[in-house]
Amino acid sequence: MSIRKKSPWILHYNCGSCNGCDIEILACTGPKYDVERFGIINKGNPKQADILVVTGPVTKRTRARLLRLYMQMPEPKVVVAVGACACTGGVFRHMYNVENGVDRYIPVDVYVPGCAARPENILKGIALALEIWEKKTKDTIEIPTVIKKEYEKIVAKMLMHGQVVDRRKIIYDLVSKYIQRKLETPKCD
Amino acid sequence: MLKMFIESLKNLFSEPATLPGFGTEPPKGYRGLIVYNKEKCIFCTKCELVCPAGAIRFIYPEDGSRNLEYKYNPYLCIYCGECVRECPKEGALIQTDKMPEPATKEDNPNETWFEIEKLAEESKKKWQLALAKKRQEALKKAQQAKQGKKEDNQDKKN
Amino acid sequence: MGNKMIVPFGSQHVALPEPVRFVFETENEIITNVEVDVGYVHRGIEKACQTKIGYKQVAYVVPRICGLCSISHNMAYIIAIEKLLEFEAPKRAKYLRVLAHELDRIHSHLFAMAHVAEAAGYENLVMYLFRDRELVMECLELLTGNRVQFDYGCIGGVNRDLTPEVEKELRKKLKKLEERLFWFRDVYLNDYTLNLRWKGVGVIPKEMAEKYNAAGPVARGSGVRTDARAEFDALPYRELGFEMVVYEDGDIWARNMVRMDELLISMRMIWNVLDGLPEGNYKENVKGMPKGEAVCRWEAPRGELFYHVRGDGKQILTRMRVKTPTFSNIPVLKELFIGANYADVPAIIISFDPCLSCTAR
């Protein structure tokens, strides 16, 4: 899983901004602040992306498209809001076609301030987002590693006694027991 | 095509153009965060009227005095420098050249600012009512003092 | 009979950094009909400037309509208000305004040329252009304080002065930049693969450009002689050595060459400003309230920009109207698509240099 941390891929969407912060994101991929040496590529495909980078105050026409993009991304995922407009609405706060800030619609993990945000600040924000993302992956990967050990123990026992092994049934029983246990014990947040 | 090939060969042997990833600072004269000194402020609220984005708000006290509280949101500010130019006292508001820091989910800059906006408006209305009452009482006292003096003078004459 | 297909070029695309939507109807890979959808970026700025924001603060809200031509909006609004108040800025302030504006034109044209080269698949050239664009951004940061969105002009002059240390640094960096610009001009004129990709693609004949009122490098690449800097006298362009650049071909190659030559003329104007900067104040106090009507025409990097302002003697204006250059270029775009190959579509859109956040403010 450390392979994924070494090269996260980015999806970038502009929700109605003035293009200032978008130019700084493109300048990040230029030679002076080189972000491709960390393994980050700007691909336009939501099914292959790990980090969603949003700019601009959300206008009423783009909020439906933003939600569809967010739901098409696979778990675990992180959202970074770049610029003063994406954090709280910026200069356009309380204008008639603007929702104030991205976090009225999507849970946001990192806020990067500035008008326009500097490329060094954007790099700091992405580094923070990568640490949060590591914590999230540990929560979702627990299931396979824990179940794998129990499965190997059971299969070894059955082979020693000479019984017929039905692998699918064993995995199905283990997973359903694990999920029921997780649902019953309350999580202390 | 030959030109580009020669240029690529030249770039192999010259120094790189990338900066190190973290740790570089912006140059002198950069328009950065705004810093407030409470001792020099005279509470005229000109900075609140001039800000185009509304990033500075004052919370008014309940007793009608002039002791306001200053609130600033670095995630809403556009760093134009108008408040520093309008301030009549030198040294109360300064623009430094440091970049603002990114924040995470726990700081929650948007929700808290909505609550502060509501508080500021309500407290301003209550403060104006309290100030109007104070002025009426002061007027009454002044009138009573005048009438008291007139009676004293008439008594002395008589 | 061929295969009819409907292809959407949706609002999220990796080639364009802005949301715009086209719906193409193609038959055997040739386009027959187009539907254009602009308006994802509408924020309601004109209404807010008429009800909530005073006329002095509007000068800081208006450059955030667009991030690439931000200083053009700033200067055009300030000149329109100065006409209403009957005030003329001091001479040093006028020269400094020209300096900031021409530096902005250089970095905007370099960005547009890099984007067209990326659509042609030439990534090496993109990286070279971005490296040399960083020199211009450093100059702007020393002069105004920020890389993008410089709040430089204000009613009565400019906000900051040009000190002697900053002038030394500017001269060093601009000298390096000029050598690189001549090298780029050679590449664009003589490179074999770029000529194959761009000559004869997306041709706009002269009659179509005149009939639909195109503006900016799109019109000047087809032989129409129109430029707001030669016709109006808001800033001292003629005494600084301005010339108009016109090419006759009308394809993508001609539009690139127009932008390239405009860069060299801007460099010459900047050297003239730095050598002959007059003494005096850079800012003065202005009295009075705006009353009446005024109009300003200005040349942004993408075409002609138009501002109309009306005031009534109070702090808040009664009417403000903006006409942006990309708004005049969109009917030409629609006519150009019909009959073209579907694979040429990204190259044609990017060669127009669209700035869609200006179009629907």
Side-chain angles (χ1 to χ4, degrees):
Chain A
M1 284 312 142
S2 59
I3 302 176
R4 275 184 94 196
K5 177 192 171 196
K6 297 238 168 112
S7 72
W9 282 8
I10 284 188
L11 172 68
H12 161 240
Y13 189 50
N14 173 345
C15 284
S17 92
C18 74
N19 300 334
C21 298
D22 298 302
I23 302 177
E24 298 288 62
I25 291 180
L26 278 181
C28 267
T29 59
K32 189 174 174 190
Y33 309 99
D34 197 358
V35 92
E36 291 195 353
R37 58 189 157 154
F38 303 126
I40 299 180
I41 308 182
N42 182 9
K43 281 266 178 181
N45 200 351
K47 307 247 182 197
Q48 292 172 354
D50 300 314
I51 305 183
L52 175 66
V53 177
V54 193
T55 58
V58 179
T59 55
K60 290 194 176 161
R61 253 181 121 176
T62 52
R63 56 186 182 181
R65 277 83 176 168
L66 182 66
L67 276 177
R68 277 177 85 176
L69 278 177
Y70 182 71
M71 292 203 290
Q72 279 181 0
M73 285 169 68
E75 290 271 349
K77 54 198 171 192
V78 204
V79 177
V80 176
V82 168
C85 293
C87 293
T88 52
V91 211
F92 309 113
R93 199 168 161 100
H94 299 308
M95 292 196 183
Y96 70 81
N97 207 22
V98 159
E99 316 280 342
N100 310 319
V102 180
D103 62 358
R104 307 289 220 120
Y105 286 95
I106 292 183
V108 172
D109 293 301
V110 178
Y111 300 87
V112 178
C115 186
R118 241 167 164 255
E120 291 142 351
N121 250 352
I122 300 180
L123 283 181
K124 264 196 216 172
I126 291 187
L128 254 186
L130 278 180
E131 289 175 13
I132 299 181
W133 188 58
E134 243 195 284
K135 272 193 230 161
K136 280 193 186 176
T137 45
K138 279 198 189 146
D139 282 339
T140 53
I141 288 179
E142 219 182 14
I143 300 183
T145 47
V146 162
I147 288 184
K148 198 172 176 187
K149 292 183 193 163
E150 293 194 12
Y151 168 77
E152 280 172 2
K153 270 194 231 165
I154 294 179
V155 165
K157 226 187 188 180
M158 288 176 89
L159 281 178
M160 256 192 1
H161 289 292
Q163 291 170 345
V164 172
V165 171
D166 186 4
R167 291 170 200 256
R168 263 196 214 165
K169 190 162 176 288
I170 300 175
I171 294 181
Y172 184 72
D173 287 337
L174 282 174
V175 167
S176 44
K177 253 195 256 170
Y178 182 82
I179 291 180
Q180 260 200 347
R181 223 184 325 150
K182 267 249 161 165
L183 282 176
E184 279 163 12
T185 59
K187 231 183 187 180
C188 28
D189 263 330
Chain B
M1 285 234 282
L2 194 58
K3 264 197 171 237
M4 290 296 252
F5 189 62
I6 294 177
E7 182 77 19
S8 309
L9 274 184
K10 258 200 250 171
N11 280 334
L12 257 186
F13 300 108
S14 50
E15 60 174 31
T18 37
L19 294 183
F22 305 96
T24 47
E25 294 290 326
K28 235 173 66 164
Y30 179 70
R31 284 186 272 131
L33 269 182
I34 298 201
V35 166
Y36 170 73
N37 275 335
K38 189 162 178 179
E39 298 95 24
K40 302 199 180 172
C41 178
I42 58 173
F43 304 112
C44 63
T45 71
K46 264 192 188 172
C47 47
E48 182 180 349
L49 291 172
V50 165
C51 178
I56 295 185
R57 288 288 187 145
F58 281 101
I59 297 190
Y60 293 78
E62 305 218 346
D63 53 0
S65 67
R66 198 103 202 170
N67 197 9
L68 314 175
E69 200 189 329
Y70 166 92
K71 294 273 183 199
Y72 168 69
N73 189 356
Y75 298 93
L76 184 54
C77 176
I78 58 177
Y79 304 100
C80 60
E82 272 284 293
C83 49
V84 175
R85 283 182 282 244
E86 279 288 322
C87 182
K89 257 273 172 132
E90 238 188 82
L93 275 177
I94 310 174
Q95 188 156 35
T96 58
D97 58 1
K98 292 209 170 353
M99 296 189 294
E101 298 281 327
T104 55
K105 198 171 184 173
E106 286 97 21
D107 300 330
N108 214 352
N110 203 6
E111 282 297 322
T112 45
W113 192 250
F114 273 111
E115 290 164 16
I116 289 181
E117 276 181 346
K118 251 199 224 170
L119 244 189
E121 279 183 30
E122 287 171 2
S123 70
K124 187 167 183 183
K125 286 183 195 161
K126 286 187 200 166
W127 182 80
Q128 277 171 343
L129 282 175
L131 198 64
K133 256 194 205 173
K134 253 193 185 178
R135 282 195 185 144
Q136 275 183 351
E137 283 173 12
L139 261 180
K140 268 189 197 170
K141 271 190 192 171
Q143 277 179 352
Q144 276 175 358
K146 254 192 190 175
Q147 274 188 351
K149 262 193 189 172
K150 269 189 188 170
E151 285 172 4
D152 275 340
N153 279 347
Q154 277 185 342
D155 280 338
K156 274 190 189 169
K157 273 186 190 171
N158 293 347
Chain C
M1 291 295 291
N3 282 330
K4 263 199 187 167
M5 273 191 23
I6 297 186
V7 184
F9 190 91
S11 62
Q12 186 259 332
H13 200 262
V14 72
L16 290 178
E18 276 163 329
V20 67
R21 183 173 160 85
F22 296 100
V23 179
F24 295 110
E25 293 179 15
T26 68
E27 188 170 326
N28 270 342
E29 299 265 340
I30 295 189
I31 301 176
T32 51
N33 199 3
V34 179
E35 251 182 57
V36 180
D37 195 353
V38 169
Y40 283 84
V41 198
H42 178 66
R43 287 156 286 182
I45 294 184
E46 291 181 359
K47 173 90 183 179
C49 292
Q50 285 164 206
T51 50
K52 270 197 316 187
I53 308 182
Y55 77 96
K56 281 192 194 165
Q57 277 88 279
V58 172
Y60 294 97
V61 171
V62 166
R64 270 119 183 130
I65 294 182
C66 174
L68 283 168
C69 25
S70 72
I71 205 167
S72 315
H73 287 271
N74 200 358
M75 298 290 178
Y77 174 76
I78 285 177
I79 288 184
I81 292 269
E82 283 182 354
K83 273 190 203 172
L84 268 188
L85 299 172
E86 286 166 14
F87 169 80
E88 195 167 336
K91 207 155 190 204
R92 190 177 168 103
K94 280 191 187 171
Y95 272 61
L96 284 175
R97 282 177 183 174
V98 171
L99 175 65
H101 193 224
E102 294 304 315
L103 277 174
D104 180 73
R105 190 182 299 263
I106 290 181
H107 103 80
S108 174
H109 277 321
L110 282 176
F111 182 78
M113 286 174 4
H115 221 47
V116 184
E118 187 177 354
Y122 206 159
E123 278 226 23
N124 209 358
L125 194 55
V126 173
M127 292 300 164
Y128 281 143
L129 279 168
F130 268 122
R131 175 182 71 172
D132 293 314
R133 185 177 165 252
E134 292 294 331
L135 285 171
V136 183
M137 307 294 264
E138 283 171 17
C139 291
L140 278 168
E141 192 169 22
L142 287 170
L143 178 67
T144 63
N146 202 355
R147 286 160 55 107
V148 189
Q149 299 295 350
F150 356 98
D151 305 305
Y152 194 49
C154 76
I155 299 180
V158 290
N159 269 333
R160 274 195 186 194
D161 201 8
L162 183 70
T163 55
E165 303 113 10
V166 169
E167 191 174 337
K168 245 204 257 174
E169 284 283 329
L170 277 187
R171 279 183 196 261
K172 251 200 272 175
K173 295 191 175 161
L174 287 174
K175 206 169 166 190
K176 255 198 240 170
L177 180 68
E178 197 166 9
E179 297 162 3
R180 301 290 303 167
L181 281 182
F182 281 120
W183 186 82
F184 279 126
R185 184 166 200 265
D186 238 338
V187 168
Y188 270 88
L189 262 182
N190 297 331
D191 200 70
Y192 180 64
T193 39
L194 288 181
N195 284 347
L196 276 182
R197 283 300 297 241
W198 286 340
K199 281 208 165 160
V201 178
V203 177
I204 304 181
K206 187 172 175 184
E207 296 84 21
M208 186 156 57
E210 278 180 350
K211 178 176 159 196
Y212 285 99
N213 278 327
V218 172
R220 273 177 256 145
S222 298
V224 182
R225 298 191 68 91
T226 157
D227 194 329
R229 285 178 284 176
E231 299 166 19
F232 298 98
D233 214 1
L235 288 183
Y237 277 114
R238 247 169 271 166
E239 51 185 41
L240 287 171
F242 163 72
E243 271 175 27
M244 210 190 306
V245 177
V246 171
Y247 273 75
E248 306 280 339
D249 297 332
D251 47 6
I252 300 185
W253 182 85
R255 285 174 233 148
N256 271 338
M257 290 313 295
V258 165
R259 291 191 187 115
M260 192 77 235
D261 285 339
E262 279 189 1
L263 281 184
L264 293 173
I265 290 186
S266 292
M267 278 304 297
R268 205 170 66 186
M269 279 204 271
I270 291 180
W271 285 121
N272 282 343
V273 164
L274 282 179
D275 287 334
L277 197 60
E279 303 285 330
N281 280 341
Y282 64 93
K283 186 171 174 178
E284 278 182 10
N285 259 333
V286 182
K287 300 205 173 32
M289 289 287 189
K291 194 161 188 184
E293 274 189 50
V295 150
C296 173
R297 286 172 68 175
W298 187 266
E299 177 81 12
R302 281 158 183 79
E304 182 182 311
L305 185 64
F306 178 83
Y307 262 77
H308 169 239
V309 165
R310 180 162 42 151
D312 210 4
K314 302 198 182 129
Q315 277 273 19
I316 302 184
L317 300 166
T318 48
R319 181 68 176 126
M320 184 183 89
R321 168 79 171 121
V322 181
K323 196 281 288 182
T324 47
T326 311
F327 188 71
S328 330
N329 281 341
I330 288 198
V332 183
L333 188 67
K334 197 170 167 183
E335 277 294 317
L336 198 55
F337 274 147
I338 298 180
N341 264 331
Y342 180 67
D344 286 331
V345 160
I348 294 180
I349 296 182
I350 298 178
S351 85
F352 264 64
D353 204 4
C355 177
L356 285 152
S357 44
C358 282
T359 312
R361 332 137 235 109

